[in-house]
């Protein structure tokens, strides 16, 4: 895809300074701009790059006063950042999520229904009795089990697996390879030391605007639902065990794990590789730092916890700063004991 | 699927109190029961919910004496818990694992054989010279490489990848997206700082009743076999490296990792996000708590280890409790030194 | 596949002692040799096994002097280890990566091109405008998005997903289930507490000889490229976030995670389950031990860091050794205080 500077200015309602016929084929940061790319200048501290950038064109504010000559064509708009974001979204839509129609072979269970404007990639699979809304994109190799519901505008990426009875809201994104709704890890120990699988007949519910990362796993509930509430964003390789509940607008970074039946509140942030034991609850607005291990419920809102086992951040930072000095501390205690045991000074 | 209360009573050999014609379409915990659902009461401490539940019917003991009026229909049996479990298994079988036959297109290498009663989902792939037993379920997008053996009654879920020469026993479950038998991470450093891949020609052996979690990875051996012995259960996103051996009836929780050539004994429990270095051995009945890092062999049975690096649980808990008080300890040593250096009291 | 001892000797330019007509069907370590298998003896400390091995044949040095009778046939060569490695590679090639041609159904976008000598497995998917070199192997269920470039001799394993605009060099290996090039985890917080996805329009670049592990995830850049430079080896279940850069010949072990925009130097080693925060840089030849958490840039080459938070290995080992003795240290400080507060000795 290539556009002229003039075409971009028209889309943004801006005016051109320089050659309006130049061709634009990519978007780049101003410090990484190259021939054919379009950049933007929003933050004054990057202005220096405007005079040296290799970008073909730069979106700038109408009010910007140039202090040096500029080689790039300029597109002047009211708000360069939001203009650029508009182009980013347009670009992403055009190149990555603009697919429509059905590629063959694709499998669709006879009793399933799917709304208009959808995309079904080759080798995508939809089981029986599914109800799938309008404008849903289902990429190649995606697996949708029986009786799944998916709301309008959601995207199921390549090779994601959505198991039977899962309910997915509107405008959700399930990224490539994520597994949603498989059996939880429930086994009853037997007298002979072996384990017997406990049937898991619950499901997973993802409310609207939820995002599930690539190769993440969300187990179905034993009974009832494993739930991720509206607007929460789950990163790659995260594990959500059976009967977990994640509140609204909570963010969980890559490789974190939430054990069975734990409940995370609204507007929480959980760092990468952090873990929660099972059957605990985190209050709203709790922050857990990366690699921390939470072993107890957090009852008051707005706390920040660190460490494994985790406790409050300020105390954890202090304890860690002494931890590094432990060999010195040991030596000082040795000295004190030596002095104490020394014969009295005359 | 809908059943009447009467039909359920007949399956369980129970008697009905209340309307036997009511319809049941789901199973739920007694405290979460809703119209159309069936619950059970086994533990006396939940009895209060019997009198308030919204469930249409509840399975109770023949001997239970009601202390208040009950709205739900009752199904009286000898053992409510095992009766309910029976229904759970029946339900899971009917809805999730009861598939049979072949959906097209499915790929089956000409030289491969598969027993009666199997399911092959659309887009499933079976290579050459495979021997697959009776009643094996192979879900859509599953990949079975060449010369793989799978015992009767095993389930290979959607998008699981079983690489060449893997041997899987009877009644195993490999969950969605798991990767079994890819090349291990073996590279020989070269004089110029680069690495050369060491060919990995071994395989993976899963004995009977093994479960491998969603998106878990089990690498093949360099030579010989990476082995998971009978009855062991491996959770989601676990990594088992090349030449690892896991004993019988061992449980490994989500996101744990076992490095190359390490051997874990029978009846061990390894917590989530825990890790073992390579080339060590854990005695039978070892427990490793979540997020721990084991750097040394564990020789005596029945030990519990915690921490990174891990040592025995009791000492670890004690050390952690002092860790939190380190700033205080430092202050006390400061005070002691100050007192020591102070001029003698007159 | 079965070969005679004589055939193997001819391939290796060796001479046979014993029956040259014996059949060989597998390769094994000398201590695990069985009927039909071929082993090798390179390290003198394994010589004892030569006299007891069950292997049908053993590759030994021309100069080896036998101290006891040997049952196995011998193949004498100049360098047994490199001879055996040659056979390993031949075996792996013949059984695992020797596939050629196209299995149907396979999907190939009309505008895409792929060089001679390739393999496309059944249910593999290649989008539009891809340029794929000679001798590339694309296993079943692999997904290749639009405009992807892949250099000659690379292998894309079963169910790997390569998203749009990814550039893969020559002789790379992307293992089963890996996800390369999906959107990074970028969300802009909104005034109402919700998050809005920031369009991610960059790509992933894997240079030549890179290996990406099974079920690993490599996110595309927001703009620009997430990059893994020549010869680096990334293990299973690793997470590389958006705009990460990994230098040349760096090795990252399983389940490690590198947060957004961090840069790892050349010839680094990062242990399993280790993590880096975002926006930091590691100098060349840095080593991070398993489970460590790096929170700060490492500026000097050749350092080894341990712990979470990580600091230099020697100090970390010392601090950890005192950590275990913390309860004792506390007791000693208690004693010192008691002595100090005791009434003066008479």
């Amino acid at each position: 895809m290539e556009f002229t500077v003039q075409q971009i200015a028209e889309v943004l309602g801006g005016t051109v300074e320089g050659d309006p016929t130049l061709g634009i084929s990519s978007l780049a940061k101003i410090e990484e701009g190259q021939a054919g790319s379009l950049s933007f200048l929003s933050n004054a501290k990057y202005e220096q790059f405007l005079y040296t950038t290799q970008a073909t064109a730069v979106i700038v504010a109408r009010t910007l006063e140039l202090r040096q000559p500029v080689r790039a064509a300029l597109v002047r708009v009211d708000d360069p950042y939001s203009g650029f974001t508009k182009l980013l979204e347009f670009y992403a839509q055009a190149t990555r999520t603009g697919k429509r129609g059905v590629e063959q072979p694709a499998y669709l269970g006879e009793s399933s229904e799917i709304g208009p404007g959808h995309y079904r990639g080759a080798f995508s699979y939809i089981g029986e009795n599914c109800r799938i809304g309008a404008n849903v994109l289902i990429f190649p190799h995606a697996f949708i089990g029986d009786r799944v519901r998916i709301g309008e505008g959601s995207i199921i990426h390549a090779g994601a697996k959505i198991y039977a009875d899962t309910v997915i809201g509107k405008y959700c994104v399930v990224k490539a390879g994520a597994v949603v709704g498989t059996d939880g890890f429930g086994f009853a120990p037997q007298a002979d030391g072996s384990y017997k699988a406990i049937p898991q007949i619950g499901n997973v519910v993802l409310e609207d605007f939820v995002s599930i990362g690539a190769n993440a796993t969300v187990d179905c509930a034993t009974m009832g639902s494993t739930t991720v509430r509206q607007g929460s964003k789950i990163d790659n390789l995260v594990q959500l065990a059976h009967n977990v509940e994640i509140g609204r607008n909570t963010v969980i970074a890559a490789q974190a794990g939430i054990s069975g039946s734990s409940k995370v509140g609204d507007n929480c942030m959980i760092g990468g590789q952090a873990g929660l034991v099972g059957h605990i609850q985190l209050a709203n607005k709790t922050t857990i730092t990366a690699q921390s291990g939470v072993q107890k419920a957090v009852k008051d809102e707005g706390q920040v916890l660190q460490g494994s086992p985790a406790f409050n951040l300020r105390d954890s930072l202090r304890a860690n700063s002494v931890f590094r000095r432990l060999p010195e501390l040991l030596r000082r205690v040795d000295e004190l004991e030596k002095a104490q045991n020394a014969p009295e000074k005359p």
Side-chain angles (χ1 to χ4, degrees), chain A:
Chain A
M1 280 192 315
E2 189 168 294
F3 300 91
T4 64
V5 172
Q6 180 62 38
Q7 285 174 316
I8 286 163
E10 281 165 15
V11 166
L12 300 181
T15 53
V16 178
E17 282 175 31
D19 183 350
T21 68
L22 293 170
I24 296 295
S25 58
S26 68
L27 303 174
K29 294 180 189 171
I30 193 165
E31 67 270 32
E32 297 175 351
Q34 297 186 319
S37 74
L38 173 72
S39 296
F40 75 105
L41 173 65
S42 174
N43 187 330
K45 78 176 177 190
Y46 287 89
E47 188 182 326
Q48 45 167 325
F49 294 113
L50 179 61
Y51 308 111
T52 58
T53 186
Q54 302 297 309
T56 292
V58 181
I59 305 173
V60 300
R62 289 192 204 278
T63 55
L64 179 76
E65 294 179 20
L66 300 179
R67 293 181 300 178
Q68 296 178 31
V70 174
R71 222 183 46 149
L74 300 182
V75 177
R76 288 190 178 267
V77 300
D78 291 337
D79 179 349
Y81 180 71
S82 72
F84 192 74
T85 301
K86 197 169 160 186
L87 291 177
L88 275 178
E89 285 170 0
F90 176 78
Y91 183 91
Q93 165 71 14
T95 60
R96 307 248 167 123
T97 56
K99 292 182 180 286
R100 289 294 179 277
V102 180
E103 296 165 351
Q104 291 299 346
Y107 187 96
L108 178 64
E110 283 183 21
S111 51
S112 288
E113 293 171 10
I114 180 162
H118 65 265
Y119 166 61
R120 290 192 287 128
F123 315 124
S124 62
Y125 180 99
I126 298 175
E128 299 292 334
N129 290 304
C130 293
R131 296 289 172 272
I132 299 176
N135 300 311
V136 168
L137 310 187
I138 297 175
F139 277 73
H141 308 118
F143 167 82
I144 316 279
D146 297 338
R147 299 176 301 281
V148 168
R149 267 118 187 84
I150 302 179
E152 66 173 83
S154 286
I155 303 177
I156 310 299
H157 276 283
K161 292 106 191 158
I162 313 294
Y163 261 71
D165 300 303
T166 298
V167 177
I168 297 181
K170 298 175 183 173
Y171 305 101
C172 289
V173 177
V174 179
K175 292 187 183 169
V179 175
V180 176
T182 37
D183 283 1
F185 197 62
F187 296 97
Q190 307 294 298
D192 65 353
S194 70
Y195 292 89
K196 193 177 171 197
I198 299 167
Q200 308 279 316
I201 66 159
N203 73 343
V204 171
V205 175
L206 308 180
E207 293 186 356
D208 301 342
F209 300 102
V210 164
S211 179
I212 302 290
N215 285 348
T217 56
V218 184
D219 284 349
C220 78
T222 308
M223 286 189 281
S225 299
T226 303
T227 305
V228 182
R229 299 210 186 285
Q230 186 172 320
S232 283
K233 311 298 182 187
I234 312 297
D235 201 356
N236 298 346
L237 295 168
V238 165
Q239 150 81 350
L240 303 182
H242 50 177
N243 294 86
V244 158
E245 290 182 33
I246 307 295
R248 294 162 60 109
N249 297 325
T250 277
V251 173
I252 302 183
Q255 299 174 316
I258 314 293
S259 303
S261 299
S262 279
K263 297 187 195 335
V264 176
D266 299 342
N267 303 101
C268 293
M269 302 190 73
I270 297 185
Q273 301 182 332
L276 265 70
V277 301
H279 299 273
I280 63 171
Q281 198 154 353
L282 297 193
N284 295 341
K285 300 186 182 168
T286 301
T287 297
I288 308 297
T289 67
Q291 295 193 328
S292 295
V294 185
Q295 300 182 354
K296 290 182 187 166
V298 176
K299 291 180 182 165
D300 298 327
E301 294 198 359
Q303 294 201 71
V304 183
L305 276 74
Q306 188 185 58
S308 176
F311 50 103
N312 88 64
L313 178 64
R314 211 181 63 157
D315 292 346
S316 173
L317 290 173
R318 284 181 179 176
N320 270 303
S321 78
V322 183
F323 174 73
R324 295 175 184 226
R325 294 169 58 190
L326 278 182
E328 170 212 322
L329 193 65
L330 178 65
R331 212 160 43 234
R332 287 165 61 186
V333 171
D334 287 346
E335 292 296 327
L336 283 164
E337 288 174 341
K338 238 182 275 172
Q340 190 187 47
N341 296 327
E344 297 282 333
K345 287 178 210 162

PDB file of all heavy atoms in Angstrom, chain A residues 9 33 35 66 110 122-123 205 211 226 230 233 244 280 286 335:
ATOM      1  N   ALA A   9      -2.849  13.947   4.234  1.00  0.00           N
ATOM      2  CA  ALA A   9      -3.308  15.237   4.759  1.00  0.00           C
ATOM      3  C   ALA A   9      -4.826  15.342   4.682  1.00  0.00           C
ATOM      4  O   ALA A   9      -5.477  15.847   5.606  1.00  0.00           O
ATOM      5  CB  ALA A   9      -2.642  16.379   3.991  1.00  0.00           C
ATOM      6  N   GLY A  33      12.946   7.261  11.277  1.00  0.00           N
ATOM      7  CA  GLY A  33      12.326   7.489   9.970  1.00  0.00           C
ATOM      8  C   GLY A  33      13.262   7.187   8.809  1.00  0.00           C
ATOM      9  O   GLY A  33      14.466   7.421   8.896  1.00  0.00           O
ATOM     10  N   ALA A  35      13.358   6.749   4.166  1.00  0.00           N
ATOM     11  CA  ALA A  35      12.693   7.139   2.920  1.00  0.00           C
ATOM     12  C   ALA A  35      11.405   6.332   2.766  1.00  0.00           C
ATOM     13  O   ALA A  35      11.415   5.117   2.911  1.00  0.00           O
ATOM     14  CB  ALA A  35      13.620   6.896   1.741  1.00  0.00           C
ATOM     15  N   LEU A  66       9.205  26.498  13.106  1.00  0.00           N
ATOM     16  CA  LEU A  66      10.461  25.823  12.758  1.00  0.00           C
ATOM     17  C   LEU A  66      11.649  26.689  13.142  1.00  0.00           C
ATOM     18  O   LEU A  66      11.651  27.889  12.917  1.00  0.00           O
ATOM     19  CB  LEU A  66      10.497  25.532  11.253  1.00  0.00           C
ATOM     20  CG  LEU A  66       9.368  24.641  10.728  1.00  0.00           C
ATOM     21  CD1 LEU A  66       9.514  24.448   9.222  1.00  0.00           C
ATOM     22  CD2 LEU A  66       9.371  23.301  11.446  1.00  0.00           C
ATOM     23  N   GLU A 110     -23.068 -27.925  11.357  1.00  0.00           N
ATOM     24  CA  GLU A 110     -24.317 -27.558  10.678  1.00  0.00           C
ATOM     25  C   GLU A 110     -25.252 -26.726  11.539  1.00  0.00           C
ATOM     26  O   GLU A 110     -25.975 -25.874  11.063  1.00  0.00           O
ATOM     27  CB  GLU A 110     -25.063 -28.829  10.251  1.00  0.00           C
ATOM     28  CG  GLU A 110     -24.461 -29.459   9.011  1.00  0.00           C
ATOM     29  CD  GLU A 110     -25.251 -30.679   8.571  1.00  0.00           C
ATOM     30  OE1 GLU A 110     -26.424 -30.808   8.954  1.00  0.00           O
ATOM     31  OE2 GLU A 110     -24.671 -31.501   7.851  1.00  0.00           O
ATOM     32  N   ALA A 122      -8.824 -20.473   6.371  1.00  0.00           N
ATOM     33  CA  ALA A 122      -8.703 -21.875   5.990  1.00  0.00           C
ATOM     34  C   ALA A 122      -8.331 -22.695   7.224  1.00  0.00           C
ATOM     35  O   ALA A 122      -7.565 -22.257   8.069  1.00  0.00           O
ATOM     36  CB  ALA A 122      -7.636 -22.035   4.914  1.00  0.00           C
ATOM     37  N   PHE A 123      -8.907 -23.892   7.304  1.00  0.00           N
ATOM     38  CA  PHE A 123      -8.619 -24.831   8.395  1.00  0.00           C
ATOM     39  C   PHE A 123      -9.144 -24.347   9.746  1.00  0.00           C
ATOM     40  O   PHE A 123      -8.782 -24.903  10.788  1.00  0.00           O
ATOM     41  CB  PHE A 123      -7.118 -25.157   8.498  1.00  0.00           C
ATOM     42  CG  PHE A 123      -6.474 -25.443   7.170  1.00  0.00           C
ATOM     43  CD1 PHE A 123      -5.371 -24.717   6.736  1.00  0.00           C
ATOM     44  CD2 PHE A 123      -6.992 -26.423   6.332  1.00  0.00           C
ATOM     45  CE1 PHE A 123      -4.777 -24.959   5.500  1.00  0.00           C
ATOM     46  CE2 PHE A 123      -6.403 -26.683   5.087  1.00  0.00           C
ATOM     47  CZ  PHE A 123      -5.294 -25.946   4.675  1.00  0.00           C
ATOM     48  N   VAL A 205     -15.994 -17.744  31.012  1.00  0.00           N
ATOM     49  CA  VAL A 205     -16.706 -16.560  30.527  1.00  0.00           C
ATOM     50  C   VAL A 205     -15.711 -15.411  30.404  1.00  0.00           C
ATOM     51  O   VAL A 205     -15.070 -15.032  31.392  1.00  0.00           O
ATOM     52  CB  VAL A 205     -17.846 -16.154  31.486  1.00  0.00           C
ATOM     53  CG1 VAL A 205     -18.483 -14.842  31.021  1.00  0.00           C
ATOM     54  CG2 VAL A 205     -18.888 -17.262  31.580  1.00  0.00           C
ATOM     55  N   SER A 211      -8.819  -9.209  26.518  1.00  0.00           N
ATOM     56  CA  SER A 211      -7.761  -9.693  25.632  1.00  0.00           C
ATOM     57  C   SER A 211      -7.015 -10.830  26.327  1.00  0.00           C
ATOM     58  O   SER A 211      -6.644 -10.713  27.490  1.00  0.00           O
ATOM     59  CB  SER A 211      -6.792  -8.544  25.318  1.00  0.00           C
ATOM     60  OG  SER A 211      -5.748  -8.983  24.491  1.00  0.00           O
ATOM     61  N   THR A 226     -15.091 -20.003  35.204  1.00  0.00           N
ATOM     62  CA  THR A 226     -13.878 -19.200  35.317  1.00  0.00           C
ATOM     63  C   THR A 226     -14.178 -17.916  34.554  1.00  0.00           C
ATOM     64  O   THR A 226     -14.614 -17.980  33.400  1.00  0.00           O
ATOM     65  CB  THR A 226     -12.692 -19.934  34.666  1.00  0.00           C
ATOM     66  OG1 THR A 226     -12.542 -21.200  35.292  1.00  0.00           O
ATOM     67  CG2 THR A 226     -11.413 -19.124  34.776  1.00  0.00           C
ATOM     68  N   GLN A 230     -15.041  -7.492  32.285  1.00  0.00           N
ATOM     69  CA  GLN A 230     -14.926  -6.519  31.200  1.00  0.00           C
ATOM     70  C   GLN A 230     -13.619  -5.729  31.198  1.00  0.00           C
ATOM     71  O   GLN A 230     -13.228  -5.147  32.196  1.00  0.00           O
ATOM     72  CB  GLN A 230     -16.104  -5.552  31.287  1.00  0.00           C
ATOM     73  CG  GLN A 230     -16.159  -4.594  30.109  1.00  0.00           C
ATOM     74  CD  GLN A 230     -17.435  -3.788  30.121  1.00  0.00           C
ATOM     75  OE1 GLN A 230     -18.505  -4.310  30.419  1.00  0.00           O
ATOM     76  NE2 GLN A 230     -17.315  -2.513  29.822  1.00  0.00           N
ATOM     77  N   LYS A 233      -6.994  -7.335  30.557  1.00  0.00           N
ATOM     78  CA  LYS A 233      -6.015  -7.677  29.533  1.00  0.00           C
ATOM     79  C   LYS A 233      -5.022  -8.682  30.106  1.00  0.00           C
ATOM     80  O   LYS A 233      -4.325  -8.385  31.090  1.00  0.00           O
ATOM     81  CB  LYS A 233      -5.255  -6.412  29.089  1.00  0.00           C
ATOM     82  CG  LYS A 233      -6.140  -5.210  28.753  1.00  0.00           C
ATOM     83  CD  LYS A 233      -7.083  -5.455  27.582  1.00  0.00           C
ATOM     84  CE  LYS A 233      -7.897  -4.203  27.262  1.00  0.00           C
ATOM     85  NZ  LYS A 233      -8.938  -4.451  26.256  1.00  0.00           N
ATOM     86  N   VAL A 244     -11.030 -19.435  38.647  1.00  0.00           N
ATOM     87  CA  VAL A 244     -10.448 -18.115  38.913  1.00  0.00           C
ATOM     88  C   VAL A 244     -11.439 -17.041  38.466  1.00  0.00           C
ATOM     89  O   VAL A 244     -12.208 -17.243  37.518  1.00  0.00           O
ATOM     90  CB  VAL A 244      -9.104 -17.973  38.160  1.00  0.00           C
ATOM     91  CG1 VAL A 244      -8.709 -16.525  37.944  1.00  0.00           C
ATOM     92  CG2 VAL A 244      -8.011 -18.717  38.920  1.00  0.00           C
ATOM     93  N   ILE A 280      -7.463 -17.433  47.270  1.00  0.00           N
ATOM     94  CA  ILE A 280      -7.312 -16.144  47.946  1.00  0.00           C
ATOM     95  C   ILE A 280      -7.954 -15.057  47.095  1.00  0.00           C
ATOM     96  O   ILE A 280      -8.279 -15.260  45.935  1.00  0.00           O
ATOM     97  CB  ILE A 280      -5.842 -15.765  48.242  1.00  0.00           C
ATOM     98  CG1 ILE A 280      -5.051 -15.595  46.933  1.00  0.00           C
ATOM     99  CG2 ILE A 280      -5.199 -16.785  49.153  1.00  0.00           C
ATOM    100  CD1 ILE A 280      -3.664 -15.018  47.148  1.00  0.00           C
ATOM    101  N   THR A 286      -5.087  -3.583  43.593  1.00  0.00           N
ATOM    102  CA  THR A 286      -3.865  -4.171  44.133  1.00  0.00           C
ATOM    103  C   THR A 286      -2.818  -4.255  43.021  1.00  0.00           C
ATOM    104  O   THR A 286      -3.144  -4.572  41.884  1.00  0.00           O
ATOM    105  CB  THR A 286      -4.146  -5.589  44.662  1.00  0.00           C
ATOM    106  OG1 THR A 286      -5.146  -5.514  45.674  1.00  0.00           O
ATOM    107  CG2 THR A 286      -2.888  -6.239  45.221  1.00  0.00           C
ATOM    108  N   GLU A 335      31.994  -9.553  65.483  1.00  0.00           N
ATOM    109  CA  GLU A 335      32.856  -8.584  66.181  1.00  0.00           C
ATOM    110  C   GLU A 335      32.298  -8.239  67.562  1.00  0.00           C
ATOM    111  O   GLU A 335      33.030  -8.180  68.561  1.00  0.00           O
ATOM    112  CB  GLU A 335      32.989  -7.286  65.367  1.00  0.00           C
ATOM    113  CG  GLU A 335      33.762  -7.419  64.078  1.00  0.00           C
ATOM    114  CD  GLU A 335      35.217  -7.808  64.330  1.00  0.00           C
ATOM    115  OE1 GLU A 335      35.778  -7.389  65.354  1.00  0.00           O
ATOM    116  OE2 GLU A 335      35.776  -8.553  63.494  1.00  0.00           O
TER     117      GLU A 335
END
